[in-house]
Amino acid sequence: MPFRKPGDEGTRPTDVTETLVARGTAGAVAVAWDADQAVTALYSANYRSLVRLAAMLVRDAGTAEEVVQDAFVAMHGGWRRLRDPDKALSYLRQSVVNRSRSVLRHRAVVEKYAPKGLPDAPSAEAGAIGELERSAVIDALSRLPARQREALVLRYYADLSEAEIANTMGISRGAVKSHTARGMTALRNVLEQFS
């Protein structure tokens, strides 16, 4: 007798084994004349619980729905290879867990190799103002006596300590403090004149 879907000519085929494919709240549902009906029954009985499972694993409802949909599609395509149709729900759960793991691994790789964002570039105005300020400071520094200019450059540009400045200039630490303080006062006065 050739295979016919239920409802064809009012008779049910007798050459296909009926299988338990889903467990609902009212007990076991026995259907499965073919993959379409079996997967449809599994889908209607277990879709939401499988989505909840996937959502807990991947922490994203949209991705969880995709994972579950892919698991059902794979089950439908491989229905004939399923050794024990009674374990179809277990197969689906395992498929959802494995696919969720794949999603998480993919996310980790994407995050690891994601291009780093470029730092915010200053505007053209900020660059122009900065250049004017630098040129004003350089001009003001050039008007200072040599020892004061050296002390300020070594302190604030080279970021040396007082001991290092004293050693570099060949003077005492007290003289470094004196030249630095006088240089800052003179620099402030010159810069105020430019403003």
Side-chain angles (χ1 to χ4, degrees):
M1 175 177 208
F3 177 79
R4 293 187 314 251
K5 288 187 178 179
D8 288 355
E9 302 173 5
T11 61
R12 184 171 159 201
T14 56
D15 60 333
V16 177
T17 307
E18 209 171 35
T19 344
L20 178 67
V21 294
R23 300 190 190 285
T25 55
V29 176
V31 272
W33 296 286
D34 64 6
D36 291 341
Q37 292 172 331
V39 173
T40 300
L42 278 169
Y43 185 89
S44 62
N46 299 293
Y47 175 77
R48 289 184 184 182
S49 65
L50 291 172
V51 169
R52 283 193 299 269
L53 170 66
M56 294 298 283
L57 297 172
V58 299
R59 299 176 303 275
D60 175 25
T63 304
E65 289 176 353
E66 288 178 22
V67 163
V68 173
Q69 292 288 340
D70 290 346
F72 274 106
V73 168
M75 170 166 269
H76 184 271
W79 183 257
R80 292 180 190 256
R81 292 187 312 268
L82 191 62
R83 290 183 188 156
D84 187 0
D86 293 338
K87 295 183 181 177
L89 183 57
S90 298
Y91 170 82
L92 271 172
R93 281 192 193 113
Q94 189 62 47
S95 179
V96 167
V97 169
N98 288 340
R99 289 170 189 275
S100 297
R101 287 178 185 157
S102 293
V103 165
L104 294 174
R105 279 192 301 269
H106 179 72
R107 281 184 190 167
V109 169
V110 167
E111 288 173 8
K112 181 178 180 181
Y113 294 106
K116 305 292 186 246
L118 296 174
D120 292 336
S123 68
E125 292 173 341
I129 291 172
E131 184 62 35
L132 287 175
E133 289 173 352
R134 278 190 297 280
S135 65
V137 170
I138 291 171
D139 188 41
L141 272 172
S142 67
R143 296 174 186 234
L144 297 178
R147 292 282 185 172
Q148 292 176 6
R149 182 175 52 247
E150 289 171 4
L152 289 177
V153 168
L154 290 172
R155 177 70 183 114
Y156 295 105
Y157 182 75
D159 200 27
L160 299 179
S161 67
E162 288 178 356
E164 292 170 325
I165 295 170
N167 189 24
T168 302
M169 291 177 67
I171 57 176
S172 69
R173 289 179 64 181
V176 170
K177 289 180 184 180
S178 174
H179 287 305
T180 304
R182 288 182 187 153
M184 286 300 291
T185 303
L187 187 62
R188 197 173 297 119
N189 290 336
V190 171
L191 287 174
E192 286 176 0
Q193 291 174 359
F194 284 131
S195 306

